[in-house]
């Protein structure tokens, strides 16, 4: 009998305990004290890292448009050249003679045109007075028009001859760095000789890198936002940070379907010429004007199988469990992409004592 009573008492106590922890059956105490903080806003100065390459904005392969012997070089291999600087001078004798001959041809055609004009005027006047035949007048007109066409042809030959003479001096089409010349003084070259020297523009210079479409959409609203608000910084091959920042100049016009990335080009003034075209660089890519996102202290965050969540208090100090989408984080702040708004109150201390639906102090 005593044993039976003891068993009943234990079962009764067990049932009472179960009832106390059943969801919705308990009445939470209101004297639970927790630490709270207001949700603030901080800049999302996220920086992504990519591998990039310095590329020249302009590369010119200098060729000759005329034939001739090189009589002088106006630069040294590997030197900086200025736009308009003489690079090669060719023997101009035959081209000067061609200009003289063309000028003589123009003068001859002008004289013939003058005579044809006078003859036409005379014959036309006689024809008007019926003192000359129609055939004579039309013949004079034909001679005049032929002389006019001959003058145009001679003037065209003079223009061509002058252009050939001008091309005996080959100049730099832009500022840049010269490579190694393929021909030196004394060599005879022509338009078929190929590249004489290659010029590469180094100020400014572009840095090319590829970002994924997911990175683009996470950091920026669209292409225009990236172009206007993106900024690139680079680290050189030795790991040192480069002082200048690069503005985004352009994006390629399509995404690479195999890698789901798009090429971005950043423009750097390269005043000290440390960025060498063709070199590989580490690119640090971020926004100029970082977005403001809600932020909380890391102690406010908890995790379960569904993800990260925080306890939010309403105006009546009632606890709400709310799942959030995490952004970037520092030691002091955790940015929240979605789920919280600035000014809301979250529990940051004593989170283990709070439960959804509970009223706390």
């Amino acid at each position: 009998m005593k044993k039976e009573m003891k068993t009943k008492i234990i079962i009764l106590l067990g049932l009472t305990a179960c009832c106390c922890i059943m969801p919705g059956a308990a009445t939470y105490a209101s004297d639970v004290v927790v630490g709270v903080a207001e949700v603030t806003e901080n800049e999302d100065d996220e920086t992504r890292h990519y591998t990039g390459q310095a590329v020249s904005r302009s590369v010119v392969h200098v060729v000759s448009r005329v034939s001739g012997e090189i009589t002088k070089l106006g630069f040294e291999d590997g030197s900086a050249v200025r736009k308009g600087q003489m690079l090669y001078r060719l023997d101009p004798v035959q081209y000067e003679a061609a200009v003289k001959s063309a000028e003589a041809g123009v003068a001859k055609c002008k004289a013939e045109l003058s005579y044809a004009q006078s003859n036409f005027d005379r014959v036309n006047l006689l024809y008007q007075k019926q003192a000359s035949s129609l055939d004579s007048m039309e013949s004079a007109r034909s001679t005049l028009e032929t002389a006019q066409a001959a003058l145009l042809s001679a003037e065209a030959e003079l223009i061509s001859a002058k252009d050939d003479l001008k091309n005996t001096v080959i100049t730099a089409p832009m500022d840049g760095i010269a490579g190694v010349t393929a021909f030196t003084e004394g060599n005879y070259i022509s338009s078929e000789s190929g590249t004489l020297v290659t010029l590469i523009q180094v100020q400014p210079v572009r840095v090319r890198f590829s970002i994924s479409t997911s990175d683009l959409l996470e950091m920026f609203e669209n292409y225009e936002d990236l172009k206007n608000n993106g900024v690139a910084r680079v680290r050189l091959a030795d790991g040192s940070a480069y002082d200048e920042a690069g503005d985004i100049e352009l994006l390629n016009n399509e995404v690479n379907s195999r890698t789901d990335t798009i090429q971005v080009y950043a423009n750097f003034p390269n005043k000290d010429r440390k960025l060498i075209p063709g070199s590989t660089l580490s690119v640090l890519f971020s926004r100029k004007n970082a977005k403001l996102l809600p932020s909380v202290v890391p102690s406010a965050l908890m995790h379960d199988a569904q993800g990260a969540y925080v306890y939010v208090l309403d105006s009546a100090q009632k606890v709400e469990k709310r799942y959030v989408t995490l952004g970037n984080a520092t030691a002091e702040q955790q940015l929240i992409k979605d789920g919280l708004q600035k000014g809301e109150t979250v529990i940051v201390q004593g989170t283990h004592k709070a439960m959804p639906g509970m009223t706390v102090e």
Side-chain angles (χ1 to χ4, degrees):
M1 181 69 178
K2 290 181 180 180
K3 186 177 181 182
E4 219 172 52
M5 184 179 295
K6 188 181 292 186
T7 304
K8 288 181 180 178
I9 293 171
I10 292 171
I11 293 172
L12 180 60
L13 289 173
L15 289 174
T16 304
C18 290
C19 290
C20 291
I21 61 173
M22 285 179 61
T27 302
Y28 296 121
S30 60
D31 59 351
V32 174
V33 179
V34 295
V36 299
E38 188 176 282
V39 178
T40 59
E41 280 188 338
N42 282 283
E43 288 188 347
D44 184 17
D45 53 352
E46 179 179 11
T47 299
R48 302 285 175 96
H49 297 259
Y50 305 98
T51 299
Q53 185 178 42
V55 293
S56 176
R57 292 171 55 90
S58 181
V59 178
V60 177
H61 302 284
V62 179
V63 298
S64 177
R65 298 175 61 185
V66 296
S67 303
E69 179 185 340
I70 300 175
T71 59
K72 186 176 182 180
L73 263 64
F75 69 99
E76 294 183 358
D77 293 345
S79 63
V81 297
R82 307 293 296 177
K83 182 177 181 179
Q85 178 180 333
M86 187 271 288
L87 302 178
Y88 299 89
R89 187 185 300 277
L90 307 184
D91 185 359
V93 173
Q94 63 175 321
Y95 299 103
E96 290 172 345
V99 170
K100 293 293 184 183
S101 177
E103 288 174 343
V106 170
K108 178 183 177 182
C109 289
K110 284 183 177 179
E112 292 176 349
L113 176 61
S114 178
Y115 172 78
Q117 183 69 56
S118 299
N119 182 59
F120 173 77
D121 292 343
R122 182 173 60 255
V123 173
N124 187 48
L125 180 61
L126 293 174
Y127 176 75
Q128 297 297 328
K129 294 180 178 180
Q130 299 183 348
S132 176
S133 66
L134 175 62
D135 184 65
S136 298
M137 192 270 291
E138 290 181 345
S139 177
R141 178 185 287 116
S142 176
T143 301
L144 174 61
E145 291 175 350
T146 300
Q148 291 172 336
L151 177 59
L152 290 176
S153 178
E155 289 175 340
E157 289 182 5
L158 177 59
I159 291 173
S160 179
K162 287 183 176 180
D163 186 59
D164 286 344
L165 178 60
K166 182 191 72 174
N167 288 324
T168 59
V169 178
I170 303 172
T171 59
M174 65 174 188
D175 295 347
I177 304 297
V180 177
T181 182
F183 299 92
T184 55
E185 293 180 13
N187 284 280
Y188 186 89
I189 62 173
S190 67
S191 58
E192 298 178 355
S193 297
T195 300
L196 305 180
V197 68
T198 299
L199 303 183
I200 297 180
Q201 186 181 30
V202 296
Q203 292 177 319
V205 73
R206 287 172 174 165
V207 171
R208 178 182 62 202
F209 59 98
S210 296
I211 70 170
S212 66
T213 53
S214 60
D215 283 356
L216 186 153
L217 295 175
E218 285 180 12
M219 296 176 66
F220 304 92
E221 295 179 2
N222 49 42
Y223 288 179
E224 286 301 315
D225 185 29
L226 184 152
K227 188 174 179 181
N228 295 331
N229 295 311
V231 61
R233 297 185 179 276
V234 298
R235 291 189 181 278
L236 304 178
D238 62 357
S240 62
Y242 187 61
D243 294 337
E244 296 176 357
D247 292 328
I248 303 306
E249 185 175 9
L250 61 95
L251 280 76
N252 201 357
N253 57 0
E254 63 179 355
V255 172
N256 186 320
S257 59
R258 291 179 299 176
T259 60
D260 196 35
T261 60
I262 187 168
Q263 285 188 334
V264 180
Y265 291 80
N267 185 62
F268 288 80
N270 200 23
K271 296 176 182 178
D272 51 12
R273 288 169 51 183
K274 285 186 177 180
L275 300 181
I276 304 172
S279 61
T280 300
L281 306 163
S282 177
V283 180
L284 289 73
F285 188 46
S286 59
R287 291 182 63 93
K288 288 180 182 176
N289 303 312
K291 294 180 179 179
L292 290 174
L293 291 180
S295 65
V296 296
V297 294
S299 62
L301 290 169
M302 292 166 285
H303 299 266
D304 62 15
Q306 296 184 46
Y309 66 91
V310 295
Y311 282 148
V312 182
L313 299 184
D314 61 15
S315 58
Q317 309 302 318
K318 192 173 183 179
V319 178
E320 174 195 351
K321 180 180 181 180
R322 190 181 301 174
Y323 287 96
V324 294
T325 303
L326 303 181
N328 294 309
T330 65
E332 296 80 20
Q333 292 289 326
Q334 170 66 59
L335 298 181
I336 306 297
K337 290 184 177 180
D338 187 44
L340 284 178
Q341 294 183 355
K342 178 184 177 182
E344 290 188 298
T345 301
V346 295
I347 298 177
V348 297
Q349 291 180 353
T351 52
H352 62 287
K353 297 187 291 183
M355 295 187 68
M358 175 186 289
T359 300
V360 298
E361 295 181 7

